[in-house]
Amino acid sequence: MPELVILSGKGGTGKTSVTAAFAALAVPVTLADCDVDAADLHLVAAPETTETHEFRSGWHAVLDQTLCRQCGRCIASCRFDAIHRDRTRYRQLHIDPFACEGCGVCEFVCRMGAISMEEPIRGFWYRSVTRFGPMFHAQLHPGAENSGKLVTLLRRKARQAAEQPNGLLLTDGPPGVGCAAIATLTGADHVLFVTEPTATGLHDLKRAERLAAGFRIPGSVLINKADLSPEMSRSIAEYAGQAGLHLLGEVPFDAAFARAQAAGQTILEYGRSPGADALRVAWSRLQRLLSAKTRTPFRIVKNM
Amino acid sequence: MRIGVASGKGGTGKTLLATSLAYILAEARPVQYVDCDVEEPNGRIFLKPRITRSEDVRVDVPVIDGEACALCGECAEFCRFGALAAMGEKVLLFPELCHSCGGCALVCPNDAIRMGRRSIGKVEVGRSGKVGFVEGRLNVGEPMAAPVIYATLEAADEESLVIVDAPPGTSCALIAAIRACDYVLLVTEPTPFGLHDLRLTLEVVAALGLRAGVVVNREGLGDLEVEPLCAEAGVPILARIPFDRRIAEVYATGDSVTDALPDVRSILSDLACAVLQESSCRNS
Protein backbone atom coordinates (compact mmCIF):
# COMPACT_ATOMS: atom_id res chain seq x y z
CA MET A 1 0.00 0.00 0.00
CA PRO A 2 2.00 3.01 -1.19
CA GLU A 3 1.32 6.43 0.27
CA LEU A 4 1.53 9.43 -2.00
CA VAL A 5 1.81 12.73 -0.12
CA ILE A 6 0.99 16.00 -1.86
CA LEU A 7 2.88 19.05 -0.64
CA SER A 8 3.88 22.42 -2.04
CA GLY A 9 5.70 24.68 0.39
CA LYS A 10 3.77 27.72 -0.78
CA GLY A 11 0.02 27.74 -0.16
CA GLY A 12 -2.58 28.15 -2.89
CA THR A 13 -0.68 26.33 -5.63
CA GLY A 14 -3.49 23.80 -6.12
CA LYS A 15 -2.61 20.91 -3.78
CA THR A 16 -6.18 20.12 -2.86
CA SER A 17 -7.56 20.46 -6.40
CA VAL A 18 -4.84 18.11 -7.69
CA THR A 19 -5.41 15.65 -4.83
CA ALA A 20 -9.12 15.56 -5.64
CA ALA A 21 -8.46 15.08 -9.36
CA PHE A 22 -6.05 12.21 -8.69
CA ALA A 23 -8.58 10.67 -6.32
CA ALA A 24 -11.08 10.58 -9.18
CA LEU A 25 -8.48 8.84 -11.36
CA ALA A 26 -7.23 6.44 -8.68
CA VAL A 27 -10.60 5.04 -7.51
CA PRO A 28 -10.70 3.04 -5.29
CA VAL A 29 -8.36 5.06 -3.09
CA THR A 30 -8.02 5.98 0.59
CA LEU A 31 -7.86 9.73 1.26
CA ALA A 32 -6.31 11.63 4.15
CA ASP A 33 -6.65 15.41 4.49
CA CYS A 34 -3.66 16.45 6.60
CA ASP A 35 -4.08 20.21 6.15
CA VAL A 36 -5.90 20.03 9.46
CA ASP A 37 -6.11 23.72 10.31
CA ALA A 38 -7.50 24.80 6.95
CA ALA A 39 -8.96 21.56 5.58
CA ASP A 40 -10.74 21.94 2.25
CA LEU A 41 -10.73 18.52 0.55
CA HIS A 42 -14.13 17.68 2.05
CA LEU A 43 -15.67 20.54 0.05
CA VAL A 44 -15.03 18.53 -3.12
CA ALA A 45 -14.95 14.95 -1.82
CA ALA A 46 -18.33 15.39 -0.06
CA PRO A 47 -17.64 12.80 2.64
CA GLU A 48 -20.43 11.04 4.50
CA THR A 49 -19.08 10.74 8.00
CA THR A 50 -19.42 7.34 9.64
CA GLU A 51 -17.30 7.95 12.75
CA THR A 52 -16.55 11.12 14.73
CA HIS A 53 -13.85 11.14 17.41
CA GLU A 54 -12.64 13.77 19.83
CA PHE A 55 -9.01 14.74 19.42
CA ARG A 56 -7.44 15.40 22.80
CA SER A 57 -3.82 16.32 22.94
CA GLY A 58 -1.38 18.43 24.86
CA TRP A 59 -2.25 19.97 28.19
CA HIS A 60 -3.65 23.18 29.61
CA ALA A 61 -3.07 24.64 33.02
CA VAL A 62 -6.28 25.40 34.91
CA LEU A 63 -6.31 27.61 37.98
CA ASP A 64 -8.70 27.13 40.90
CA GLN A 65 -9.34 30.65 42.22
CA THR A 66 -10.64 29.33 45.54
CA LEU A 67 -7.23 27.82 46.36
CA CYS A 68 -4.96 30.47 44.81
CA ARG A 69 -3.27 32.89 47.24
CA GLN A 70 -1.96 35.13 44.42
CA CYS A 71 1.67 34.61 45.48
CA GLY A 72 2.88 34.85 41.88
CA ARG A 73 5.40 32.00 41.93
CA CYS A 74 3.75 30.60 38.81
CA ILE A 75 4.04 33.94 37.01
CA ALA A 76 7.76 34.04 37.70
CA SER A 77 8.28 30.45 36.54
CA CYS A 78 6.23 30.52 33.35
CA ARG A 79 8.47 30.86 30.32
CA PHE A 80 5.55 31.59 28.01
CA ASP A 81 4.24 34.69 29.77
CA ALA A 82 0.92 32.89 30.02
CA ILE A 83 -0.11 33.92 33.55
CA HIS A 84 -1.21 37.45 34.37
CA ARG A 85 -2.53 39.32 37.38
CA ASP A 86 -5.71 41.26 36.78
CA ARG A 87 -6.06 44.91 37.68
CA THR A 88 -9.03 44.58 39.97
CA ARG A 89 -8.46 45.02 43.68
CA TYR A 90 -8.55 41.23 44.06
CA ARG A 91 -5.34 40.93 42.02
CA GLN A 92 -6.45 37.53 40.76
CA LEU A 93 -4.24 35.45 38.49
CA HIS A 94 -5.44 34.26 35.10
CA ILE A 95 -4.00 31.74 32.67
CA ASP A 96 -4.10 32.72 29.01
CA PRO A 97 -5.11 29.54 27.15
CA PHE A 98 -3.61 30.79 23.87
CA ALA A 99 -0.18 31.35 25.44
CA CYS A 100 -0.12 28.29 27.72
CA GLU A 101 2.02 25.48 26.31
CA GLY A 102 0.88 22.97 28.91
CA CYS A 103 4.36 22.28 30.31
CA GLY A 104 3.20 21.87 33.92
CA VAL A 105 5.84 24.09 35.53
CA CYS A 106 3.20 26.28 37.20
CA GLU A 107 1.50 23.22 38.66
CA PHE A 108 4.86 22.08 40.00
CA VAL A 109 5.79 25.38 41.67
CA CYS A 110 2.35 26.13 43.14
CA ARG A 111 2.38 25.49 46.89
CA MET A 112 -1.38 25.69 47.24
CA GLY A 113 -2.19 22.96 44.73
CA ALA A 114 -4.33 25.51 42.92
CA ILE A 115 -3.21 24.57 39.42
CA SER A 116 -4.09 21.36 37.67
CA MET A 117 -3.40 20.15 34.15
CA GLU A 118 -6.22 19.20 31.83
CA GLU A 119 -6.12 17.56 28.43
CA PRO A 120 -8.38 19.72 26.28
CA ILE A 121 -10.33 18.75 23.18
CA ARG A 122 -8.34 20.29 20.33
CA GLY A 123 -10.71 19.26 17.58
CA PHE A 124 -12.38 16.29 15.98
CA TRP A 125 -11.33 13.68 13.48
CA TYR A 126 -13.61 11.77 11.18
CA ARG A 127 -13.76 8.57 9.22
CA SER A 128 -15.97 9.00 6.20
CA VAL A 129 -17.09 7.41 2.96
CA THR A 130 -16.66 9.22 -0.35
CA ARG A 131 -17.33 8.34 -3.97
CA PHE A 132 -13.56 7.69 -4.27
CA GLY A 133 -13.15 5.46 -1.20
CA PRO A 134 -12.70 5.94 2.55
CA MET A 135 -11.54 9.33 3.78
CA PHE A 136 -9.89 10.43 7.02
CA HIS A 137 -10.12 14.09 7.88
CA ALA A 138 -10.21 16.41 10.84
CA GLN A 139 -11.12 19.80 12.13
CA LEU A 140 -8.70 21.41 14.52
CA HIS A 141 -10.27 24.04 16.76
CA PRO A 142 -9.29 27.54 15.65
CA GLY A 143 -5.99 28.51 17.20
CA ALA A 144 -5.28 25.06 18.60
CA GLU A 145 -1.85 23.52 18.95
CA ASN A 146 -0.64 20.03 18.17
CA SER A 147 -1.63 19.94 14.51
CA GLY A 148 1.40 17.66 13.97
CA LYS A 149 0.01 15.09 16.38
CA LEU A 150 -3.39 15.21 14.71
CA VAL A 151 -1.74 14.65 11.32
CA THR A 152 0.16 11.64 12.67
CA LEU A 153 -3.06 10.20 14.08
CA LEU A 154 -4.96 10.70 10.80
CA ARG A 155 -2.24 9.06 8.75
CA ARG A 156 -2.07 6.10 11.08
CA LYS A 157 -5.82 5.55 10.84
CA ALA A 158 -5.76 5.97 7.07
CA ARG A 159 -2.91 3.49 6.71
CA GLN A 160 -4.80 0.94 8.76
CA ALA A 161 -7.80 1.34 6.47
CA ALA A 162 -5.63 1.24 3.37
CA GLU A 163 -3.97 -2.02 4.43
CA GLN A 164 -7.02 -3.61 2.91
CA PRO A 165 -6.82 -4.20 -0.84
CA ASN A 166 -7.76 -0.59 -1.70
CA GLY A 167 -4.35 0.20 -3.10
CA LEU A 168 -3.18 3.76 -2.82
CA LEU A 169 -3.29 6.16 0.12
CA LEU A 170 -3.50 9.73 -1.15
CA THR A 171 -2.56 12.37 1.46
CA ASP A 172 -3.27 16.08 1.00
CA GLY A 173 -0.65 18.00 2.95
CA PRO A 174 -0.41 21.44 4.57
CA PRO A 175 1.61 24.39 3.27
CA GLY A 176 4.92 25.25 4.91
CA VAL A 177 7.72 23.12 6.34
CA GLY A 178 6.88 23.16 10.06
CA CYS A 179 5.42 20.57 12.41
CA ALA A 180 2.37 19.68 10.29
CA ALA A 181 4.44 19.29 7.10
CA ILE A 182 7.03 17.17 8.93
CA ALA A 183 4.29 14.97 10.41
CA THR A 184 2.77 14.55 6.94
CA LEU A 185 6.05 13.53 5.30
CA THR A 186 7.66 11.04 7.65
CA GLY A 187 7.51 7.53 6.23
CA ALA A 188 5.69 8.45 3.00
CA ASP A 189 6.60 6.50 -0.14
CA HIS A 190 6.52 9.35 -2.58
CA VAL A 191 5.99 13.09 -2.37
CA LEU A 192 4.44 15.11 -5.16
CA PHE A 193 5.16 18.83 -5.03
CA VAL A 194 2.46 20.90 -6.67
CA THR A 195 4.06 24.23 -7.46
CA GLU A 196 3.41 27.34 -9.54
CA PRO A 197 5.74 29.26 -11.81
CA THR A 198 6.34 32.21 -9.48
CA ALA A 199 9.45 33.38 -7.70
CA THR A 200 7.75 32.59 -4.39
CA GLY A 201 6.59 29.17 -5.62
CA LEU A 202 10.15 28.18 -6.50
CA HIS A 203 11.62 29.58 -3.27
CA ASP A 204 9.14 27.61 -1.15
CA LEU A 205 9.49 24.48 -3.29
CA LYS A 206 13.21 24.44 -2.55
CA ARG A 207 12.60 24.52 1.19
CA ALA A 208 9.94 21.79 1.03
CA GLU A 209 12.18 19.68 -1.19
CA ARG A 210 15.03 19.99 1.30
CA LEU A 211 12.74 18.75 4.03
CA ALA A 212 11.72 15.71 1.94
CA ALA A 213 15.33 15.05 0.96
CA GLY A 214 16.19 14.93 4.67
CA PHE A 215 13.76 12.04 4.99
CA ARG A 216 15.06 10.42 1.76
CA ILE A 217 11.61 10.41 0.21
CA PRO A 218 11.59 10.28 -3.60
CA GLY A 219 9.67 13.11 -5.17
CA SER A 220 8.19 14.58 -8.29
CA VAL A 221 7.03 18.01 -9.38
CA LEU A 222 3.88 19.18 -11.11
CA ILE A 223 3.89 22.78 -12.34
CA ASN A 224 0.39 24.19 -12.04
CA LYS A 225 -0.72 27.39 -13.86
CA ALA A 226 2.43 26.86 -15.96
CA ASP A 227 1.48 29.31 -18.72
CA LEU A 228 1.39 32.28 -16.30
CA SER A 229 5.16 32.43 -16.69
CA PRO A 230 6.83 30.08 -19.18
CA GLU A 231 10.15 31.51 -18.05
CA MET A 232 9.64 30.63 -14.38
CA SER A 233 8.27 27.23 -15.45
CA ARG A 234 11.59 26.58 -17.18
CA SER A 235 13.49 27.58 -14.03
CA ILE A 236 11.41 25.17 -11.97
CA ALA A 237 11.95 22.35 -14.46
CA GLU A 238 15.68 23.06 -14.33
CA TYR A 239 15.66 23.04 -10.54
CA ALA A 240 13.70 19.76 -10.50
CA GLY A 241 16.37 18.17 -12.69
CA GLN A 242 19.17 19.37 -10.38
CA ALA A 243 17.37 18.17 -7.26
CA GLY A 244 16.67 14.73 -8.71
CA LEU A 245 12.91 15.23 -8.80
CA HIS A 246 10.82 13.74 -11.60
CA LEU A 247 9.02 16.35 -13.64
CA LEU A 248 5.46 15.13 -14.07
CA GLY A 249 4.48 17.89 -16.43
CA GLU A 250 2.73 21.21 -16.65
CA VAL A 251 -0.90 22.09 -16.07
CA PRO A 252 -2.12 25.30 -17.72
CA PHE A 253 -3.99 27.97 -15.80
CA ASP A 254 -7.60 26.89 -16.18
CA ALA A 255 -10.70 28.63 -14.80
CA ALA A 256 -12.35 25.20 -14.89
CA PHE A 257 -10.59 24.48 -11.56
CA ALA A 258 -12.57 27.23 -9.82
CA ARG A 259 -15.81 26.33 -11.63
CA ALA A 260 -15.46 22.65 -10.72
CA GLN A 261 -14.76 23.63 -7.11
CA ALA A 262 -17.88 25.79 -7.00
CA ALA A 263 -19.86 22.82 -8.37
CA GLY A 264 -18.38 20.53 -5.68
CA GLN A 265 -16.62 18.43 -8.30
CA THR A 266 -13.08 17.54 -9.24
CA ILE A 267 -11.91 19.10 -12.48
CA LEU A 268 -12.01 15.62 -14.06
CA GLU A 269 -15.65 15.14 -13.25
CA TYR A 270 -16.50 18.64 -14.50
CA GLY A 271 -15.99 17.74 -18.14
CA ARG A 272 -13.23 18.18 -20.63
CA SER A 273 -10.79 20.99 -20.09
CA PRO A 274 -7.10 21.63 -20.77
CA GLY A 275 -6.44 21.30 -17.02
CA ALA A 276 -8.15 17.89 -16.84
CA ASP A 277 -6.26 16.62 -19.89
CA ALA A 278 -2.90 17.66 -18.44
CA LEU A 279 -3.72 16.01 -15.12
CA ARG A 280 -4.58 12.72 -16.87
CA VAL A 281 -1.15 12.70 -18.49
CA ALA A 282 0.56 13.56 -15.19
CA TRP A 283 -1.36 10.82 -13.40
CA SER A 284 -0.28 8.11 -15.83
CA ARG A 285 3.35 9.19 -15.37
CA LEU A 286 2.95 9.20 -11.61
CA GLN A 287 1.43 5.72 -11.66
CA ARG A 288 4.47 4.40 -13.48
CA LEU A 289 6.73 6.01 -10.86
CA LEU A 290 4.73 4.59 -7.98
CA SER A 291 4.65 1.08 -9.42
CA ALA A 292 8.34 1.11 -10.34
CA LYS A 293 9.11 0.98 -6.60
CA THR A 294 12.63 2.09 -7.30
CA ARG A 295 13.85 4.70 -4.91
CA THR A 296 15.57 7.65 -6.47
CA PRO A 297 19.29 7.60 -5.87
CA PHE A 298 20.72 9.57 -2.99
CA ARG A 299 20.34 13.26 -3.57
CA ILE A 300 22.84 15.87 -2.56
CA VAL A 301 21.24 18.37 -0.22
CA LYS A 302 22.48 21.89 -0.65
CA ASN A 303 22.00 24.59 1.90
CA MET A 304 19.96 27.59 0.90
CA MET B 1 0.44 50.54 15.39
CA ARG B 2 0.61 46.97 14.18
CA ILE B 3 -1.52 45.68 11.29
CA GLY B 4 -1.63 41.96 10.51
CA VAL B 5 -2.32 40.48 7.07
CA ALA B 6 -3.72 36.94 7.36
CA SER B 7 -5.85 34.53 5.34
CA GLY B 8 -6.39 30.97 6.55
CA LYS B 9 -6.07 29.54 3.04
CA GLY B 10 -2.62 29.84 1.55
CA GLY B 11 -1.94 31.62 -1.72
CA THR B 12 -4.75 34.16 -1.50
CA GLY B 13 -2.39 37.11 -1.83
CA LYS B 14 -1.17 37.94 1.69
CA THR B 15 2.40 38.75 0.73
CA LEU B 16 1.41 40.67 -2.40
CA LEU B 17 -0.95 42.78 -0.31
CA ALA B 18 1.35 43.24 2.68
CA THR B 19 4.33 44.33 0.58
CA SER B 20 2.19 46.63 -1.61
CA LEU B 21 0.60 48.29 1.42
CA ALA B 22 4.04 48.76 2.97
CA TYR B 23 5.26 50.49 -0.23
CA ILE B 24 2.26 52.78 -0.47
CA LEU B 25 2.02 53.68 3.22
CA ALA B 26 5.77 54.34 3.46
CA GLU B 27 5.37 57.42 1.29
CA ALA B 28 3.90 59.40 4.18
CA ARG B 29 5.21 57.77 7.35
CA PRO B 30 7.81 55.31 8.65
CA VAL B 31 6.67 51.79 7.77
CA GLN B 32 8.17 48.42 8.52
CA TYR B 33 7.23 45.17 6.77
CA VAL B 34 7.62 42.20 9.14
CA ASP B 35 7.53 38.72 7.58
CA CYS B 36 6.12 36.29 10.16
CA ASP B 37 5.38 33.52 7.64
CA VAL B 38 8.57 31.95 8.95
CA GLU B 39 8.03 28.53 7.34
CA GLU B 40 7.99 30.14 3.89
CA PRO B 41 9.07 33.80 4.11
CA ASN B 42 8.51 35.43 0.72
CA GLY B 43 8.34 39.18 1.28
CA ARG B 44 12.05 39.45 0.57
CA ILE B 45 11.50 38.36 -3.03
CA PHE B 46 9.37 41.45 -3.72
CA LEU B 47 11.06 44.01 -1.45
CA LYS B 48 14.65 42.99 -2.27
CA PRO B 49 15.94 44.58 0.94
CA ARG B 50 19.51 45.36 1.90
CA ILE B 51 20.13 43.34 5.08
CA THR B 52 21.95 45.17 7.85
CA ARG B 53 21.56 42.80 10.77
CA SER B 54 21.18 39.05 11.05
CA GLU B 55 20.68 37.11 14.27
CA ASP B 56 20.08 33.50 15.14
CA VAL B 57 16.88 32.66 16.99
CA ARG B 58 17.95 30.56 19.93
CA VAL B 59 15.74 28.56 22.24
CA ASP B 60 16.60 26.98 25.57
CA VAL B 61 17.33 23.25 25.69
CA PRO B 62 18.47 21.20 28.65
CA VAL B 63 22.12 20.27 28.93
CA ILE B 64 22.61 17.25 31.17
CA ASP B 65 25.71 16.88 33.26
CA GLY B 66 26.46 13.17 32.89
CA GLU B 67 28.50 13.04 36.09
CA ALA B 68 25.90 14.65 38.32
CA CYS B 69 22.99 12.77 36.73
CA ALA B 70 21.83 9.80 38.80
CA LEU B 71 19.56 8.51 36.02
CA CYS B 72 16.54 8.82 38.28
CA GLY B 73 14.35 9.72 35.29
CA GLU B 74 12.39 12.49 37.02
CA CYS B 75 13.11 14.93 34.19
CA ALA B 76 11.76 12.52 31.58
CA GLU B 77 8.72 11.84 33.67
CA PHE B 78 8.03 15.56 34.10
CA CYS B 79 8.48 16.48 30.42
CA ARG B 80 5.06 16.58 28.80
CA PHE B 81 6.54 16.91 25.33
CA GLY B 82 8.45 13.63 25.27
CA ALA B 83 11.73 15.47 24.72
CA LEU B 84 13.64 13.49 27.36
CA ALA B 85 13.93 9.75 27.82
CA ALA B 86 15.94 7.96 30.53
CA MET B 87 17.39 4.96 28.75
CA GLY B 88 19.79 2.63 30.49
CA GLU B 89 23.05 4.49 30.96
CA LYS B 90 21.93 7.85 29.69
CA VAL B 91 19.20 10.45 29.48
CA LEU B 92 18.41 11.06 25.82
CA LEU B 93 17.33 14.48 24.57
CA PHE B 94 15.17 15.01 21.45
CA PRO B 95 15.80 18.73 20.96
CA GLU B 96 13.08 19.26 18.28
CA LEU B 97 10.41 18.21 20.77
CA CYS B 98 11.61 20.52 23.57
CA HIS B 99 9.38 23.53 24.32
CA SER B 100 12.04 25.23 26.49
CA CYS B 101 9.83 25.32 29.60
CA GLY B 102 12.74 24.64 31.96
CA GLY B 103 10.71 22.12 33.95
CA CYS B 104 13.39 19.41 33.74
CA ALA B 105 15.99 21.65 35.37
CA LEU B 106 13.46 22.56 38.04
CA VAL B 107 12.61 18.99 39.02
CA CYS B 108 16.09 17.46 38.83
CA PRO B 109 16.97 16.44 42.41
CA ASN B 110 20.71 16.38 41.60
CA ASP B 111 21.03 19.76 39.93
CA ALA B 112 22.37 17.98 36.89
CA ILE B 113 20.47 20.04 34.30
CA ARG B 114 21.21 23.56 33.16
CA MET B 115 19.69 25.27 30.17
CA GLY B 116 21.78 25.68 27.03
CA ARG B 117 20.81 27.33 23.74
CA ARG B 118 20.28 26.04 20.25
CA SER B 119 19.45 27.86 17.04
CA ILE B 120 16.19 27.06 15.23
CA GLY B 121 16.01 29.95 12.81
CA LYS B 122 17.09 33.44 11.92
CA VAL B 123 15.81 37.00 12.09
CA GLU B 124 17.14 39.48 9.55
CA VAL B 125 16.62 43.22 9.59
CA GLY B 126 17.16 45.58 6.68
CA ARG B 127 15.64 48.20 4.47
CA SER B 128 14.15 48.50 1.01
CA GLY B 129 13.95 52.17 0.03
CA LYS B 130 11.53 53.77 2.46
CA VAL B 131 10.28 50.45 3.81
CA GLY B 132 11.91 48.89 6.85
CA PHE B 133 12.24 45.11 6.62
CA VAL B 134 12.27 42.31 9.19
CA GLU B 135 12.14 38.63 8.29
CA GLY B 136 11.90 35.51 10.43
CA ARG B 137 13.05 32.24 8.87
CA LEU B 138 12.59 28.82 10.44
CA ASN B 139 15.38 26.35 9.72
CA VAL B 140 14.19 23.53 7.45
CA GLY B 141 13.57 20.45 9.57
CA GLU B 142 12.59 22.41 12.70
CA PRO B 143 8.94 21.91 13.66
CA MET B 144 8.27 24.87 15.95
CA ALA B 145 7.50 28.15 14.25
CA ALA B 146 6.16 30.13 17.22
CA PRO B 147 9.48 31.00 18.92
CA VAL B 148 10.83 32.36 15.61
CA ILE B 149 7.64 34.39 15.13
CA TYR B 150 7.97 35.94 18.60
CA ALA B 151 11.65 36.75 17.98
CA THR B 152 10.72 38.36 14.65
CA LEU B 153 8.07 40.56 16.25
CA GLU B 154 10.52 41.57 18.96
CA ALA B 155 12.86 42.91 16.30
CA ALA B 156 10.10 45.14 14.90
CA ASP B 157 10.40 48.87 15.37
CA GLU B 158 7.39 50.01 17.38
CA GLU B 159 7.84 53.63 16.29
CA SER B 160 6.92 52.62 12.74
CA LEU B 161 3.64 51.48 11.32
CA VAL B 162 4.28 47.75 11.36
CA ILE B 163 2.73 45.47 8.70
CA VAL B 164 2.83 41.84 9.81
CA ASP B 165 2.72 39.20 7.05
CA ALA B 166 1.13 36.27 8.90
CA PRO B 167 1.41 32.53 8.17
CA PRO B 168 -1.48 30.61 6.54
CA GLY B 169 -3.66 28.25 8.55
CA THR B 170 -5.52 28.87 11.80
CA SER B 171 -3.29 27.20 14.37
CA CYS B 172 -0.77 28.36 16.95
CA ALA B 173 1.55 30.02 14.38
CA LEU B 174 -1.23 32.36 13.22
CA ILE B 175 -2.07 33.23 16.83
CA ALA B 176 1.57 34.03 17.57
CA ALA B 177 1.72 36.41 14.60
CA ILE B 178 -1.52 38.34 15.06
CA ARG B 179 -2.38 38.31 18.74
CA ALA B 180 -0.50 41.52 19.45
CA CYS B 181 -1.82 43.28 16.31
CA ASP B 182 -4.11 46.29 16.58
CA TYR B 183 -5.95 45.40 13.42
CA VAL B 184 -6.06 42.41 11.06
CA LEU B 185 -6.66 42.40 7.33
CA LEU B 186 -8.06 39.08 6.11
CA VAL B 187 -7.42 38.23 2.48
CA THR B 188 -9.74 35.77 0.78
CA GLU B 189 -10.88 34.69 -2.65
CA PRO B 190 -14.52 34.08 -3.61
CA THR B 191 -14.18 30.30 -4.01
CA PRO B 192 -15.51 27.54 -1.72
CA PHE B 193 -11.99 26.92 -0.33
CA GLY B 194 -11.36 30.62 0.22
CA LEU B 195 -14.66 31.21 1.99
CA HIS B 196 -14.43 28.12 4.13
CA ASP B 197 -11.00 29.10 5.43
CA LEU B 198 -12.08 32.74 5.89
CA ARG B 199 -14.85 31.52 8.18
CA LEU B 200 -12.29 29.68 10.33
CA THR B 201 -9.98 32.68 10.44
CA LEU B 202 -12.85 34.97 11.46
CA GLU B 203 -13.41 32.62 14.41
CA VAL B 204 -9.77 32.99 15.47
CA VAL B 205 -9.93 36.77 15.15
CA ALA B 206 -13.14 36.88 17.22
CA ALA B 207 -11.65 34.57 19.89
CA LEU B 208 -8.68 36.92 20.20
CA GLY B 209 -10.95 39.97 20.32
CA LEU B 210 -9.22 41.61 17.35
CA ARG B 211 -10.78 44.07 14.94
CA ALA B 212 -10.59 43.07 11.31
CA GLY B 213 -11.44 43.95 7.71
CA VAL B 214 -11.69 41.72 4.65
CA VAL B 215 -10.12 42.04 1.21
CA VAL B 216 -11.64 39.96 -1.58
CA ASN B 217 -8.88 39.06 -4.00
CA ARG B 218 -9.35 37.56 -7.49
CA GLU B 219 -12.96 38.65 -7.68
CA GLY B 220 -14.50 37.03 -10.74
CA LEU B 221 -12.41 33.86 -10.51
CA GLY B 222 -15.12 32.43 -8.31
CA ASP B 223 -18.58 33.91 -7.97
CA LEU B 224 -19.39 33.15 -4.34
CA GLU B 225 -20.66 36.07 -2.33
CA VAL B 226 -18.42 36.99 0.59
CA GLU B 227 -20.81 39.62 1.98
CA PRO B 228 -23.21 37.45 4.01
CA LEU B 229 -20.34 35.82 5.90
CA CYS B 230 -18.70 39.19 6.63
CA ALA B 231 -22.00 40.76 7.66
CA GLU B 232 -22.66 37.87 10.02
CA ALA B 233 -19.23 38.38 11.60
CA GLY B 234 -19.65 42.17 11.67
CA VAL B 235 -16.49 42.69 9.62
CA PRO B 236 -16.39 45.19 6.73
CA ILE B 237 -15.15 44.43 3.21
CA LEU B 238 -12.49 47.06 2.55
CA ALA B 239 -11.53 46.27 -1.04
CA ARG B 240 -12.21 44.03 -3.98
CA ILE B 241 -9.35 43.23 -6.32
CA PRO B 242 -10.51 41.81 -9.66
CA PHE B 243 -9.01 38.62 -11.04
CA ASP B 244 -6.53 39.86 -13.60
CA ARG B 245 -4.02 37.70 -15.40
CA ARG B 246 -1.61 40.66 -15.57
CA ILE B 247 -1.33 40.70 -11.75
CA ALA B 248 -0.47 37.00 -11.76
CA GLU B 249 2.13 37.53 -14.46
CA VAL B 250 3.86 40.44 -12.69
CA TYR B 251 3.72 38.56 -9.37
CA ALA B 252 5.30 35.50 -10.99
CA THR B 253 8.51 37.37 -11.72
CA GLY B 254 8.79 38.85 -8.23
CA ASP B 255 8.32 42.40 -9.49
CA SER B 256 6.29 45.05 -7.72
CA VAL B 257 2.65 45.07 -8.83
CA THR B 258 2.24 48.66 -7.60
CA ASP B 259 4.99 49.83 -9.94
CA ALA B 260 3.92 47.81 -12.96
CA LEU B 261 0.14 48.22 -12.88
CA PRO B 262 -1.17 51.75 -12.12
CA ASP B 263 -4.84 50.66 -12.06
CA VAL B 264 -4.10 48.02 -9.44
CA ARG B 265 -2.05 50.54 -7.51
CA SER B 266 -5.04 52.87 -7.24
CA ILE B 267 -7.19 50.07 -5.75
CA LEU B 268 -4.42 49.32 -3.27
CA SER B 269 -3.98 53.02 -2.41
CA ASP B 270 -7.68 53.26 -1.57
CA LEU B 271 -7.31 50.13 0.50
CA ALA B 272 -4.34 51.64 2.37
CA CYS B 273 -6.48 54.69 3.26
CA ALA B 274 -9.34 52.46 4.37
CA VAL B 275 -7.03 50.37 6.55
CA LEU B 276 -5.59 53.47 8.23
CA GLN B 277 -9.05 54.83 8.89
CA GLU B 278 -10.48 51.56 10.17
CA SER B 279 -7.54 50.69 12.35
CA SER B 280 -7.40 54.09 14.03
CA CYS B 281 -11.08 54.38 14.98
CA ARG B 282 -10.85 52.37 18.15
CA ASN B 283 -14.46 52.52 19.21
CA SER B 284 -16.09 50.90 16.22
Side-chain angles (χ1 to χ4, degrees), chain A residues 9-12 16 37-40 42-44 59 79-80 96 98-99 101-105 107-109 117 142-145 176-179 182 197-200 203-204 207 210-211 227-229 232 253 258 261-262, chain B residues 8-11 38-42 45-46 60 78 80-81 99-103 106-107 115 137-138 140-143 168-172 175 179 191-193 196-197 200 203-204 207-208 221 243 245 248-249 251-252:
Chain A
K10 181 176 181 327
T16 303
D37 59 313
D40 286 330
H42 63 280
L43 297 174
V44 175
W59 300 87
R79 299 233 180 175
F80 309 105
D96 173 354
F98 286 115
E101 300 251 343
C103 67
V105 164
E107 181 194 31
F108 179 77
V109 300
M117 303 303 289
E145 286 182 33
V177 293
C179 64
I182 291 171
T198 59
T200 52
H203 170 270
D204 297 353
R207 281 169 66 83
R210 253 178 67 208
L211 185 67
D227 52 328
L228 285 183
S229 171
M232 279 305 299
F253 176 83
Q261 197 188 100
Chain B
K9 177 167 162 30
V38 301
E39 292 183 41
E40 306 289 10
N42 289 143
I45 293 171
F46 299 96
D60 284 358
F78 181 85
R80 290 176 184 262
F81 309 109
H99 283 229
S100 313
C101 71
L106 211 58
V107 300
M115 298 307 275
R137 184 172 285 256
L138 181 70
V140 173
E142 290 294 342
T170 58
S171 68
C172 44
I175 305 276
R179 62 172 310 165
T191 61
F193 291 0
H196 175 262
D197 296 349
L200 299 176
E203 281 180 40
V204 175
L208 292 173
L221 182 62
F243 173 72
R245 222 186 136 96
E249 285 168 2
Y251 174 88

Side-chain angles (χ1 to χ4, degrees), chain B residues 18-61:
Chain B
T19 52
S20 302
L21 285 179
Y23 260 134
I24 291 166
L25 290 166
E27 277 165 16
R29 61 190 67 68
V31 168
Q32 199 175 40
Y33 165 88
V34 177
D35 200 343
C36 284
D37 187 0
V38 301
E39 292 183 41
E40 306 289 10
N42 289 143
R44 169 188 298 250
I45 293 171
F46 299 96
L47 291 174
K48 303 173 183 70
R50 213 159 35 82
I51 300 299
T52 50
R53 191 153 60 86
S54 173
E55 272 165 26
D56 276 1
V57 177
R58 291 173 198 278
V59 292
D60 284 358
V61 277

